[in-house]
Amino acid sequence: AQKITQTQPGMFVQEKEAVTLDCTYDTSDPSYGLFWYKQPSSGEMIFLIYQGSYDQQNATEGRYSLNFQKARKSANLVISASQLGDSAMYFCAMREATISSGSARQLTFGSGTQLTVLP
Amino acid sequence: DAEITQSPRHKITETGRQVTLACHQTWNHNNMFWYRQDLGHGLRLIHYSYGVQDTNKGEVSDGYSVSRSNTEDLPLTLESAASSQTSVYFCASSEFRTAVGTEAFFGQGTRLTVV
């Protein structure tokens, strides 16, 4: 079963508009972390934002915010005031805590959303 | 500044050849990972290591091996390269500070083509 699902292969947004990139996850672990990474056309992976499962407030980093809905197991990335430089592939990822699962300390990624910002 | 570097950045090899991709980090991180990136699949975990002499198989480990003889390096070896292993490979590292809270730092990636 997919642990991280990103249902939008591609998205378009007008410059200066806000955009939401969807991410849903599946885990039975009560302790986990959710991450968003940006991959521009140059190929590097850039960390954007992190949300812990026990965090009471939604994470924010500049123009990035994470809309965390724990009961729905969703962790959508919101980019406000889009810029041309935001055009990139965006990946949602999760790290689970349970050592016994064998998956602790490693990131599991979704398939990504290609965002294009239009001038 | 601490960093994580991969070499080579681009590699073309023939089917059946053994290939080794290098990964070197100066973060002094315990955890190191190898992922491959293919269109429609995101990044999938190949192998990972939690420390020196520790290696573990990931989701797509068949045909790959790693070794961890020191903290800084985790080379990835393709024992007998196949066309299905044409991909972009990323190395990453992270601290073992908390179970979930630290991000992974990625290398620049290696584009491998098997012909």
Side-chain angles (χ1 to χ4, degrees):
Chain A
Q2 290 278 354
K3 286 200 169 185
I4 298 286
T5 302
Q6 296 180 254
T7 58
Q8 307 152 314
M11 289 276 289
F12 292 88
V13 64
Q14 208 69 39
E15 193 178 9
K16 299 181 185 177
E17 299 285 313
V19 63
T20 298
L21 306 184
D22 293 341
C23 173
T24 58
Y25 60 91
D26 182 30
T27 181
S28 57
D29 198 325
S31 179
Y32 52 90
L34 296 157
F35 301 77
W36 278 91
Y37 282 83
K38 173 184 178 181
Q39 186 180 43
S41 58
S42 52
E44 71 267 33
M45 295 288 287
I46 302 167
F47 166 72
L48 294 178
I49 195 167
Y50 162 78
Q51 178 85 43
S53 59
Y54 293 121
D55 292 344
Q56 295 297 311
Q57 293 188 325
N58 286 346
T60 60
E61 289 286 347
R63 293 186 299 111
Y64 303 108
S65 61
L66 205 153
N67 183 2
F68 181 46
Q69 298 187 46
K70 194 170 181 177
R72 299 176 66 177
K73 293 188 175 179
S74 74
N76 298 339
L77 177 70
V78 180
I79 305 175
S80 62
S82 298
Q83 302 172 355
L84 295 177
D86 294 334
S87 293
M89 181 73 83
Y90 289 81
F91 291 99
C92 180
M94 176 174 66
R95 177 182 284 123
E96 297 162 294
T98 306
I99 300 293
S100 62
S101 72
S103 66
R105 299 177 246 169
Q106 61 184 257
L107 287 169
T108 301
F109 285 84
S111 56
T113 295
Q114 180 69 48
L115 177 67
T116 302
V117 180
L118 303 172
Chain B
D1 283 348
E3 59 181 1
I4 178 167
T5 56
Q6 294 181 231
S7 61
R9 296 292 311 278
H10 302 272
K11 174 81 176 176
I12 300 174
T13 191
E14 294 178 343
T15 301
R17 288 193 180 269
Q18 185 182 78
V19 176
T20 297
L21 309 182
C23 175
H24 179 81
Q25 54 100 0
T26 58
W27 292 99
N28 201 34
H29 286 162
N30 287 320
N31 307 328
M32 294 185 73
F33 312 90
W34 274 103
Y35 292 88
R36 60 176 289 174
Q37 182 180 14
D38 304 289
L39 196 63
H41 290 280
L43 280 77
R44 291 181 292 174
L45 186 65
I46 305 171
H47 281 285
Y48 57 101
S49 168
Y50 293 152
V52 176
Q53 303 300 332
D54 176 76
T55 61
N56 306 279
K57 293 181 178 180
E59 177 189 358
V60 290
S61 61
D62 286 350
Y64 304 94
S65 64
V66 294
S67 60
R68 187 90 180 270
S69 58
N70 58 52
T71 301
E72 295 80 17
D73 299 288
L74 187 70
L76 177 71
T77 297
L78 287 68
E79 304 294 344
S80 177
S83 58
S84 59
Q85 294 176 309
T86 293
S87 187
V88 179
Y89 291 85
F90 283 96
C91 180
S93 71
S94 69
E95 274 188 345
F96 176 43
R97 185 155 54 87
T98 66
V100 297
T102 53
E103 74 268 26
F105 296 87
F106 283 80
Q108 322 95 301
T110 294
R111 184 173 296 275
L112 177 68
T113 303
V114 183
V115 298

